[in-house]
Amino acid sequence: MNRQILLASRPEGEPTAATFRIADAPLPVPVDGEVLVRNLYLSIDPYMRSRLATAKSYAKHVEIGDVMVGQTVGEVVESRAAGFAPGDRVLTSLGWQLYGAAPAAALRKVDDRRVPLTYYLGALGMPGMTAWFGLREIGQPKPGETVVVSAASGAVGSVVGQIAKSMGCRVVGIAGGPEKCAYARDTLGFDACVDHRAGRLHEDLAAACPDGVDVDFENVGGAVLDTVLRLMNPFSRVVLCGLVSDYNAVDPYGLKNLRMVLVQRIRLQGMIVLDWADRYGEATAGLAALYAAGGLKYRETIAAGLETAPQALIDVLRGRNFGKQLVRLA
Amino acid sequence: MNRQILLASRPEGEPTAATFRIADAPLPVPVDGEVLVRNLYLSIDPYMRSRLATAKSYAKHVEIGDVMVGQTVGEVVESRAAGFAPGDRVLTSLGWQLYGAAPAAALRKVDDRRVPLTYYLGALGMPGMTAWFGLREIGQPKPGETVVVSAASGAVGSVVGQIAKSMGCRVVGIAGGPEKCAYARDTLGFDACVDHRAGRLHEDLAAACPDGVDVDFENVGGAVLDTVLRLMNPFSRVVLCGLVSDYNAVDPYGLKNLRMVLVQRIRLQGMIVLDWADRYGEATAGLAALYAAGGLKYRETIAAGLETAPQALIDVLRGRNFGKQLVRLA
């Protein structure tokens, strides 16, 4: 038997127990050209919140009654497609379920002999790709510049900061709580990390960025972005990658410091990693090299069992996870 | 005798009669290398509001007691500098006063035989340069794309729209009131113009932009920008040139639709025309050619007498002027 988590209702504000429901389903039967996959790990990411809503976005929302979307890594159980054999490890978009059948073109074989399998959902997966292209292509930091990254200990932010360090930048994280900040400094090697929950973000960030901010890699938005904007230098860049502080908001935050974008000639640019899909190989190679050289630390929080996925998403949207959030499915 | 308008106090909110004071002063005496200029026309522009405040900006604020800053066109009365002779027409930064002495390097001789002298403060001056570089270099519209410009009948907006038309774009203006909208459509040749005072900006703009918005040349900000953002296409651009709706605000507008920048991968970029100072010649040539071809209409509102300058600025900040606001000084 298969088990699935389906969208049960659209949340107003934070998702709740009523947002999802769990259901048993028959084991899917692959047709010619398809592969049956047993999902081993499910990725939980902030973008999933926007799939619960019908607001205009870059990807379609999930319909009520459909399996919740998401990436997994799994193992091939049965193959009716050339190039895939039972036991192969694959990256999938099969969503919140224990098993799924997918056409070969929707799967990517991954090699877990040199990096942990779960990294294909994280540092070497979409979060890593997001960090790589967002920082390098949109942020365009130069050696010696100051890069600020919010959600600094998270799946994307932690990679952003380490890439920026490898590029010779001063890296200042913003994270929620002293434990995450200590991790960003001591383990990830950031030059500084500021706790946005300490109530003096502007003062602390100003002290950590004596030469101002040249690149802001923004994962949080809201008051955090408004504060960073005040410190940005002429011709600086904001990589607008996420607005997690707003994802549950019924009434979005009103950004006050747009004037800084004007007077400092800031380039503020939205980025969605899917736009770089034809260049993922380049990022994978770069990140794998950084990992091999010891310059890419990565932390995961792994919840156990499909039924924990809704709470894991709620936690991610609250910033309660530490590092990359996953759910172990088998 | 000279007459000057000095900054008397820093306004909270809208400038008032107490913001400026008028003062007589001795006629300046040019030293070697300087030129004495009699100002003929003073330019009144929204950016002047920010010079009244001490908030961080791209240029220094005016000190209390100093002559208010601004560009003028004038005529040389006495020259102690090579290359300038009495009667020459010059573009200056002498500010709100009847006469001034300036070093030759701070003046630019202008030719008013083929274009009206005042155009060097407008269509062929800073507003024209702003339109040219902002639209072409930041907005980067392609033929067939939809360009929206706010303050459409104004000194910058009217030029933006006409350049965009010459580039083969669909041009939709946003202006305050039916008279300005009719002017943008009938005289400037915009494809449509929407009255933001009519109370249904989103609906009207959506109807005028059936294919969405590819470039927003933003002069107004606030609720106008928030509304345009909702209609912007993937990979569209916002040229953040002005935020006039906020310049008098004690508490700035909170921008709600930043999420659109993320999901549509919008590039929102601040622009200050001074950054293109080394390329003004290129824009002047392009705009002069457009003017000669009949593709550059330009409207001016001219107040009479130095003492009208404070009210003229107040009017500009309220959107009460029509076209380029000037003050005739002689």
Side-chain angles (χ1 to χ4, degrees), chain B residues 10-49:
Chain B
R10 300 202 184 282
E12 276 279 300
E14 192 171 51
T16 68
T19 304
F20 300 102
R21 65 185 175 85
I22 200 157
D24 289 325
L27 208 61
V29 178
V31 299
D32 265 355
E34 283 192 339
V35 175
L36 176 64
V37 178
R38 179 187 183 217
N39 291 321
L40 299 174
Y41 291 93
L42 167 66
S43 179
I44 300 289
D45 304 278
Y47 79 82
M48 292 172 167
R49 178 62 183 82

Side-chain angles (χ1 to χ4, degrees), chain B residues 11-127:
Chain B
E12 276 279 300
E14 192 171 51
T16 68
T19 304
F20 300 102
R21 65 185 175 85
I22 200 157
D24 289 325
L27 208 61
V29 178
V31 299
D32 265 355
E34 283 192 339
V35 175
L36 176 64
V37 178
R38 179 187 183 217
N39 291 321
L40 299 174
Y41 291 93
L42 167 66
S43 179
I44 300 289
D45 304 278
Y47 79 82
M48 292 172 167
R49 178 62 183 82
S50 67
R51 298 291 195 282
L52 307 180
T54 56
K56 190 174 187 173
S57 191
Y58 58 92
K60 202 183 163 310
H61 56 262
V62 179
E63 298 292 352
I64 302 287
D66 278 0
V67 176
M68 181 60 191
V69 296
Q71 282 197 315
T72 72
V73 285
E75 104 184 327
V76 173
V77 176
E78 181 189 347
S79 174
R80 299 189 58 184
F84 290 88
D88 283 350
R89 301 299 171 104
V90 287
L91 176 68
T92 93
S93 296
L94 287 170
W96 295 23
Q97 56 183 340
L98 299 186
Y99 291 89
L107 302 173
R108 184 158 71 83
K109 275 208 274 197
V110 295
D111 180 348
D112 62 348
R113 287 168 301 182
R114 278 187 293 185
V115 295
L117 181 62
T118 53
Y119 275 37
Y120 291 100
L121 297 175
L124 296 180
M126 271 214 312

